[in-house]
Amino acid sequence: MKDGKNPDPNTIHPIAGYESEIYVKPTVTNPNIIVGEFTYIADRDFESHVTHLYDWNGDRLIIGKFCQIASGVEFVMNGANHQMNAVTTFPFYTLEGWNALPPAKSDLPLKGDTVIGNDVWIGQNAVILPGVHIGDGAIIGANATVASDIPPYTVSAGNPARIIHKRFDDELIDLLEKFKWWDKPIEEINALIPILTNSDLEMVRKEINNLL
């Protein structure tokens, strides 16, 4: 408890008196956007950062818990894709006056759901392209364009985004993936903060091993 308050995943403004950072989940209205508790964005609105999400494509944006999304991030969904296996990529069927039927879904480069894991940090102005899966604990650098899957607990940057390095060794990554601290009750997470924020990774490794 801080300042006499417990963390509340249903509050919109988690910083008193500051409206330019919000918890995303309680603000989402689109049923095809699914966001976990305590994920925040450095903005007053989230859904404007999700573009080309159309019901007829059937894709979803799924984001885990405790993600940190900087300002200017864009999630580009499958509706942005044009037919690429024909002579022209021009979408006649979407525009008035053209005698064109929509292409079959099998003729469109639809890539399925976009899935962001838990405790992912996405840097300012990054672009996440359709169908990408980003693993738990990953860090996406500012201005990155993520066009392919990013493994858990890696740092990626660039256009297209490429893995720069793993954040931890494989043993610790495996422990963290098993531990899933983000799924624990608020009271337990509060008690775990000294471990979760400790830079002595050998101590962290021992403590998590003891708790598994």
Side-chain angles (χ1 to χ4, degrees):
M1 182 181 291
K2 180 181 179 182
D3 301 327
K5 296 181 179 180
N6 286 312
D8 181 0
N10 296 311
T11 193
I12 294 176
H13 301 106
I15 303 174
Y18 184 67
E19 296 188 353
S20 294
E21 185 164 297
I22 60 171
Y23 283 151
V24 174
K25 183 177 180 179
T27 72
V28 169
T29 61
N30 190 318
N32 291 324
I33 300 175
I34 301 164
V35 182
E37 294 178 343
F38 300 109
T39 284
Y40 71 78
I41 187 168
D43 201 345
R44 295 169 182 251
D45 170 72
F46 175 75
E47 291 192 39
S48 64
H49 293 259
V50 184
T51 61
H52 308 285
L53 179 59
Y54 306 129
D55 288 342
W56 58 81
N57 283 330
D59 56 337
R60 300 174 299 168
L61 172 61
I62 302 170
I63 302 177
K65 302 175 183 178
F66 293 93
C67 291
Q68 313 112 61
I69 304 170
S71 63
V73 170
E74 181 180 2
F75 298 91
V76 181
M77 304 302 289
N78 281 284
N81 285 323
H82 294 208
Q83 185 175 2
M84 297 171 63
N85 61 354
V87 171
T88 182
T89 58
F90 195 84
F92 291 104
Y93 69 99
T94 67
L95 305 169
E96 291 183 356
W98 297 106
N99 186 23
L101 296 174
K105 280 192 174 182
S106 58
D107 280 332
L108 290 171
L110 303 178
K111 298 182 178 180
D113 295 339
T114 299
V115 181
I116 314 299
N118 304 279
D119 192 21
V120 174
W121 176 19
I122 304 178
Q124 190 164 316
N125 298 321
V127 177
I128 313 300
L129 295 182
V132 162
H133 287 212
I134 298 176
D136 298 324
I139 297 173
I140 307 300
N143 300 302
T145 299
V146 184
S148 57
D149 293 352
I150 303 296
Y153 292 98
T154 55
V155 176
S156 298
N159 181 7
R162 301 187 185 281
I163 298 168
I164 306 301
H165 59 81
K166 293 181 179 181
R167 293 181 60 195
F168 314 117
D169 63 40
D170 290 341
E171 180 191 22
L172 183 52
I173 290 173
D174 185 56
L175 283 174
L176 292 168
E177 288 283 77
K178 290 177 181 175
F179 191 51
K180 298 183 185 298
W181 66 263
W182 44 81
D183 284 338
K184 300 186 184 302
I186 287 173
E187 296 79 9
E188 190 170 344
I189 294 173
N190 248 332
L192 286 169
I193 287 174
I195 297 173
L196 299 175
T197 60
N198 198 311
S199 59
D200 182 348
L201 296 182
E202 288 309 309
M203 184 280 285
V204 171
R205 190 191 314 270
K206 291 175 184 176
E207 291 290 338
I208 291 178
N209 264 314
N210 290 335
L211 292 167
L212 284 173

